Amino acid sequence: MRKIRSRVLLCQQQTFLYGLVGSSSLNRRLLQLLKAKGHECHAFTKFHGNQHKGRSSLLLQIAREPLASLEIDEKRYVRFTIQGITVHSAARNAVVDTLTSVISQVNPEVIIISDESDEMLRTAIASGRKVIAVAHQQFDLPFGPLSEHADPAGADLYRRAARVATVSKFMADYCQQEGQVKADVVRFPIFDTSSPSQDIPQDTARFITLINPCAMKGISTFVKIAQERPSMLFAAVPTWGTTQADLEALRTASNITLLSPQKDIGKIFAQTRVLVTPSWIDTLSTVTVEAMGHGIPTIGRDIGGIREAKSNVDFLIASESDPTVTLRQGKIYLIPPEHEDISHWISALDELTQDDRYHRDLARRSAIAARNFVGDPYHTWVDLLEG
């Protein structure tokens, strides 16, 4: 009988507690799954902001989380446990030294790195442990046209890792083509697969919803659709990418309601009749898979990651023109096409909102497709950890 239990250390930029960034949520769910299967799990993160404010913010988060228990509180290092997972967090100016110490103390058999800087990956590789680098987003990679910190030395670190894991075939192809990095496609535990059918929308679900309204996620398309259908109710959920200018753009349509982000996204989905994902760039669109898994029909732009997430279920909308993408001061900026034909979006939306029988059928097919897409993430990860 093969050994399946191991000590795993996952390192990431974002907080391990509730956050608005999708990749950190996937990482957290992965460790929770591994822990539930008997693995010893640790996480390593950085304070947000400067040392004092970052530490204070983290301590406040821990105090508000009923399942978290503080163990060590020092100026440059905090350790706490939550649901049996030990989380180590360090100030930004102490990451390398602290991570080196944590690796020595924990003695992990596998280190999973999910971070846009190379200091964690470099430190992990130098430890001599097995390292799996996770590629969630193109912007976080040190190679390729969408990199926010292109660096040949950083790209070489990915090639030196024991394995590279990514969330979609689209992203694996991107890694190979742009960085000559071989990546394995793995599935993360996006939702609870033990439930046969979650939250199929009821007749009270009323909104056409966009999560994370911003330029990259297609806010301009969303606002145009809302303006074109003033009798329909739309909702936008501002998260990490939403700017003040985005909020002002949303207010130009009186039928758009702003909803606060929720720790339990099911509370958003319970109000959602149709989810739209008009993103211009997306390596997977986890929210598409999650919404479909809850039985919510989705309308998405026909691009790499969304196309893969949709699993051949209606609707995908092709674009006749592409956005302008530029790199300014280390950040990717996207300018949507000046003129965009939204007629296909409107047609799809009308069909979904005017035909209840079709809506129910697509909700059912979406839920089945999403669960087949996710499959059994645990065994794919066990194979990666042991391979």
Side-chain angles (χ1 to χ4, degrees), residues 43-61:
F44 182 89
T45 69
K46 306 175 187 179
F47 293 167
H48 280 200
N50 63 41
Q51 178 175 297
H52 175 70
K53 289 184 179 179
R55 174 175 160 274
S56 297
S57 175
L58 175 61
L59 292 175
L60 184 59
Q61 280 187 299

PDB file of all heavy atoms in Angstrom, residues 43-61:
ATOM      1  N   ALA A  43       1.292  26.630   5.937  1.00  0.00           N
ATOM      2  CA  ALA A  43       1.279  27.691   4.933  1.00  0.00           C
ATOM      3  C   ALA A  43       2.240  28.782   5.365  1.00  0.00           C
ATOM      4  O   ALA A  43       2.434  29.019   6.570  1.00  0.00           O
ATOM      5  CB  ALA A  43      -0.129  28.262   4.759  1.00  0.00           C
ATOM      6  N   PHE A  44       2.831  29.443   4.382  1.00  0.00           N
ATOM      7  CA  PHE A  44       3.721  30.571   4.648  1.00  0.00           C
ATOM      8  C   PHE A  44       3.255  31.740   3.794  1.00  0.00           C
ATOM      9  O   PHE A  44       3.066  31.605   2.589  1.00  0.00           O
ATOM     10  CB  PHE A  44       5.167  30.217   4.309  1.00  0.00           C
ATOM     11  CG  PHE A  44       6.143  31.329   4.602  1.00  0.00           C
ATOM     12  CD1 PHE A  44       6.741  31.444   5.852  1.00  0.00           C
ATOM     13  CD2 PHE A  44       6.456  32.277   3.635  1.00  0.00           C
ATOM     14  CE1 PHE A  44       7.626  32.477   6.132  1.00  0.00           C
ATOM     15  CE2 PHE A  44       7.334  33.306   3.895  1.00  0.00           C
ATOM     16  CZ  PHE A  44       7.924  33.407   5.150  1.00  0.00           C
ATOM     17  N   THR A  45       3.064  32.907   4.428  1.00  0.00           N
ATOM     18  CA  THR A  45       2.594  34.096   3.719  1.00  0.00           C
ATOM     19  C   THR A  45       3.389  35.321   4.174  1.00  0.00           C
ATOM     20  O   THR A  45       4.165  35.254   5.131  1.00  0.00           O
ATOM     21  CB  THR A  45       1.099  34.356   3.978  1.00  0.00           C
ATOM     22  OG1 THR A  45       0.913  34.754   5.357  1.00  0.00           O
ATOM     23  CG2 THR A  45       0.262  33.121   3.712  1.00  0.00           C
ATOM     24  N   LYS A  46       3.140  36.431   3.485  1.00  0.00           N
ATOM     25  CA  LYS A  46       3.773  37.699   3.843  1.00  0.00           C
ATOM     26  C   LYS A  46       2.752  38.636   4.485  1.00  0.00           C
ATOM     27  O   LYS A  46       1.565  38.581   4.159  1.00  0.00           O
ATOM     28  CB  LYS A  46       4.342  38.386   2.595  1.00  0.00           C
ATOM     29  CG  LYS A  46       5.291  37.554   1.762  1.00  0.00           C
ATOM     30  CD  LYS A  46       5.668  38.316   0.497  1.00  0.00           C
ATOM     31  CE  LYS A  46       6.484  37.458  -0.457  1.00  0.00           C
ATOM     32  NZ  LYS A  46       6.826  38.182  -1.704  1.00  0.00           N
ATOM     33  N   PHE A  47       3.238  39.519   5.371  1.00  0.00           N
ATOM     34  CA  PHE A  47       2.387  40.598   5.847  1.00  0.00           C
ATOM     35  C   PHE A  47       2.026  41.488   4.668  1.00  0.00           C
ATOM     36  O   PHE A  47       2.833  41.715   3.766  1.00  0.00           O
ATOM     37  CB  PHE A  47       3.107  41.494   6.866  1.00  0.00           C
ATOM     38  CG  PHE A  47       3.441  40.838   8.184  1.00  0.00           C
ATOM     39  CD1 PHE A  47       4.312  41.462   9.060  1.00  0.00           C
ATOM     40  CD2 PHE A  47       2.888  39.635   8.550  1.00  0.00           C
ATOM     41  CE1 PHE A  47       4.636  40.887  10.278  1.00  0.00           C
ATOM     42  CE2 PHE A  47       3.206  39.033   9.763  1.00  0.00           C
ATOM     43  CZ  PHE A  47       4.084  39.674  10.632  1.00  0.00           C
ATOM     44  N   HIS A  48       0.843  42.063   4.684  1.00  0.00           N
ATOM     45  CA  HIS A  48       0.478  43.068   3.684  1.00  0.00           C
ATOM     46  C   HIS A  48       0.918  44.434   4.176  1.00  0.00           C
ATOM     47  O   HIS A  48       0.825  44.741   5.363  1.00  0.00           O
ATOM     48  CB  HIS A  48      -1.038  43.074   3.450  1.00  0.00           C
ATOM     49  CG  HIS A  48      -1.472  41.973   2.532  1.00  0.00           C
ATOM     50  ND1 HIS A  48      -2.657  41.984   1.848  1.00  0.00           N
ATOM     51  CD2 HIS A  48      -0.857  40.817   2.175  1.00  0.00           C
ATOM     52  CE1 HIS A  48      -2.751  40.900   1.121  1.00  0.00           C
ATOM     53  NE2 HIS A  48      -1.689  40.167   1.306  1.00  0.00           N
ATOM     54  N   GLY A  49       1.397  45.276   3.268  1.00  0.00           N
ATOM     55  CA  GLY A  49       1.823  46.614   3.656  1.00  0.00           C
ATOM     56  C   GLY A  49       3.141  46.574   4.414  1.00  0.00           C
ATOM     57  O   GLY A  49       3.907  45.618   4.338  1.00  0.00           O
ATOM     58  N   ASN A  50       3.418  47.648   5.182  1.00  0.00           N
ATOM     59  CA  ASN A  50       4.667  47.670   5.934  1.00  0.00           C
ATOM     60  C   ASN A  50       4.569  46.763   7.161  1.00  0.00           C
ATOM     61  O   ASN A  50       3.509  46.233   7.486  1.00  0.00           O
ATOM     62  CB  ASN A  50       5.046  49.108   6.330  1.00  0.00           C
ATOM     63  CG  ASN A  50       4.024  49.743   7.272  1.00  0.00           C
ATOM     64  OD1 ASN A  50       3.517  49.105   8.177  1.00  0.00           O
ATOM     65  ND2 ASN A  50       3.702  51.008   7.031  1.00  0.00           N
ATOM     66  N   GLN A  51       5.698  46.608   7.824  1.00  0.00           N
ATOM     67  CA  GLN A  51       5.772  45.628   8.921  1.00  0.00           C
ATOM     68  C   GLN A  51       4.741  45.885  10.002  1.00  0.00           C
ATOM     69  O   GLN A  51       4.012  44.974  10.412  1.00  0.00           O
ATOM     70  CB  GLN A  51       7.182  45.661   9.513  1.00  0.00           C
ATOM     71  CG  GLN A  51       7.378  44.721  10.700  1.00  0.00           C
ATOM     72  CD  GLN A  51       8.820  44.707  11.152  1.00  0.00           C
ATOM     73  OE1 GLN A  51       9.704  44.318  10.414  1.00  0.00           O
ATOM     74  NE2 GLN A  51       9.065  45.160  12.366  1.00  0.00           N
ATOM     75  N   HIS A  52       4.620  47.138  10.478  1.00  0.00           N
ATOM     76  CA  HIS A  52       3.715  47.430  11.587  1.00  0.00           C
ATOM     77  C   HIS A  52       2.257  47.293  11.171  1.00  0.00           C
ATOM     78  O   HIS A  52       1.477  46.582  11.815  1.00  0.00           O
ATOM     79  CB  HIS A  52       3.981  48.840  12.117  1.00  0.00           C
ATOM     80  CG  HIS A  52       3.015  49.274  13.188  1.00  0.00           C
ATOM     81  ND1 HIS A  52       3.017  48.713  14.448  1.00  0.00           N
ATOM     82  CD2 HIS A  52       2.003  50.176  13.164  1.00  0.00           C
ATOM     83  CE1 HIS A  52       2.051  49.266  15.170  1.00  0.00           C
ATOM     84  NE2 HIS A  52       1.428  50.148  14.407  1.00  0.00           N
ATOM     85  N   LYS A  53       1.878  47.952  10.069  1.00  0.00           N
ATOM     86  CA  LYS A  53       0.486  47.906   9.634  1.00  0.00           C
ATOM     87  C   LYS A  53       0.104  46.508   9.165  1.00  0.00           C
ATOM     88  O   LYS A  53      -1.009  46.042   9.421  1.00  0.00           O
ATOM     89  CB  LYS A  53       0.259  48.920   8.515  1.00  0.00           C
ATOM     90  CG  LYS A  53       0.286  50.371   8.983  1.00  0.00           C
ATOM     91  CD  LYS A  53      -0.050  51.318   7.842  1.00  0.00           C
ATOM     92  CE  LYS A  53      -0.057  52.771   8.318  1.00  0.00           C
ATOM     93  NZ  LYS A  53      -0.373  53.714   7.209  1.00  0.00           N
ATOM     94  N   GLY A  54       1.024  45.841   8.477  1.00  0.00           N
ATOM     95  CA  GLY A  54       0.729  44.503   7.991  1.00  0.00           C
ATOM     96  C   GLY A  54       0.497  43.516   9.119  1.00  0.00           C
ATOM     97  O   GLY A  54      -0.439  42.718   9.079  1.00  0.00           O
ATOM     98  N   ARG A  55       1.344  43.601  10.139  1.00  0.00           N
ATOM     99  CA  ARG A  55       1.193  42.711  11.292  1.00  0.00           C
ATOM    100  C   ARG A  55      -0.104  43.020  12.039  1.00  0.00           C
ATOM    101  O   ARG A  55      -0.843  42.108  12.425  1.00  0.00           O
ATOM    102  CB  ARG A  55       2.394  42.880  12.210  1.00  0.00           C
ATOM    103  CG  ARG A  55       2.304  42.125  13.534  1.00  0.00           C
ATOM    104  CD  ARG A  55       3.600  42.255  14.313  1.00  0.00           C
ATOM    105  NE  ARG A  55       3.402  41.975  15.714  1.00  0.00           N
ATOM    106  CZ  ARG A  55       3.001  42.870  16.621  1.00  0.00           C
ATOM    107  NH1 ARG A  55       2.766  44.122  16.239  1.00  0.00           N
ATOM    108  NH2 ARG A  55       2.842  42.535  17.875  1.00  0.00           N
ATOM    109  N   SER A  56      -0.402  44.300  12.233  1.00  0.00           N
ATOM    110  CA  SER A  56      -1.628  44.693  12.942  1.00  0.00           C
ATOM    111  C   SER A  56      -2.871  44.216  12.199  1.00  0.00           C
ATOM    112  O   SER A  56      -3.832  43.734  12.801  1.00  0.00           O
ATOM    113  CB  SER A  56      -1.670  46.214  13.113  1.00  0.00           C
ATOM    114  OG  SER A  56      -0.583  46.658  13.910  1.00  0.00           O
ATOM    115  N   SER A  57      -2.845  44.353  10.870  1.00  0.00           N
ATOM    116  CA  SER A  57      -3.980  43.913  10.066  1.00  0.00           C
ATOM    117  C   SER A  57      -4.174  42.407  10.176  1.00  0.00           C
ATOM    118  O   SER A  57      -5.304  41.913  10.304  1.00  0.00           O
ATOM    119  CB  SER A  57      -3.757  44.317   8.607  1.00  0.00           C
ATOM    120  OG  SER A  57      -4.782  43.817   7.790  1.00  0.00           O
ATOM    121  N   LEU A  58      -3.063  41.651  10.138  1.00  0.00           N
ATOM    122  CA  LEU A  58      -3.155  40.206  10.255  1.00  0.00           C
ATOM    123  C   LEU A  58      -3.700  39.792  11.614  1.00  0.00           C
ATOM    124  O   LEU A  58      -4.572  38.913  11.707  1.00  0.00           O
ATOM    125  CB  LEU A  58      -1.784  39.573  10.021  1.00  0.00           C
ATOM    126  CG  LEU A  58      -1.696  38.056  10.224  1.00  0.00           C
ATOM    127  CD1 LEU A  58      -2.628  37.332   9.263  1.00  0.00           C
ATOM    128  CD2 LEU A  58      -0.263  37.564  10.049  1.00  0.00           C
ATOM    129  N   LEU A  59      -3.218  40.423  12.677  1.00  0.00           N
ATOM    130  CA  LEU A  59      -3.696  40.081  14.020  1.00  0.00           C
ATOM    131  C   LEU A  59      -5.193  40.369  14.157  1.00  0.00           C
ATOM    132  O   LEU A  59      -5.922  39.630  14.827  1.00  0.00           O
ATOM    133  CB  LEU A  59      -2.908  40.872  15.069  1.00  0.00           C
ATOM    134  CG  LEU A  59      -1.427  40.488  15.217  1.00  0.00           C
ATOM    135  CD1 LEU A  59      -0.728  41.423  16.207  1.00  0.00           C
ATOM    136  CD2 LEU A  59      -1.276  39.036  15.660  1.00  0.00           C
ATOM    137  N   LEU A  60      -5.661  41.439  13.496  1.00  0.00           N
ATOM    138  CA  LEU A  60      -7.086  41.756  13.532  1.00  0.00           C
ATOM    139  C   LEU A  60      -7.891  40.688  12.789  1.00  0.00           C
ATOM    140  O   LEU A  60      -8.955  40.260  13.252  1.00  0.00           O
ATOM    141  CB  LEU A  60      -7.326  43.136  12.907  1.00  0.00           C
ATOM    142  CG  LEU A  60      -8.768  43.664  12.952  1.00  0.00           C
ATOM    143  CD1 LEU A  60      -9.247  43.770  14.392  1.00  0.00           C
ATOM    144  CD2 LEU A  60      -8.856  45.022  12.252  1.00  0.00           C
ATOM    145  N   GLN A  61      -7.369  40.230  11.655  1.00  0.00           N
ATOM    146  CA  GLN A  61      -8.030  39.159  10.916  1.00  0.00           C
ATOM    147  C   GLN A  61      -8.123  37.890  11.753  1.00  0.00           C
ATOM    148  O   GLN A  61      -9.160  37.221  11.781  1.00  0.00           O
ATOM    149  CB  GLN A  61      -7.257  38.852   9.623  1.00  0.00           C
ATOM    150  CG  GLN A  61      -7.512  39.796   8.472  1.00  0.00           C
ATOM    151  CD  GLN A  61      -6.841  39.297   7.207  1.00  0.00           C
ATOM    152  OE1 GLN A  61      -5.624  39.155   7.139  1.00  0.00           O
ATOM    153  NE2 GLN A  61      -7.628  39.012   6.191  1.00  0.00           N
TER     154      GLN A  61
END
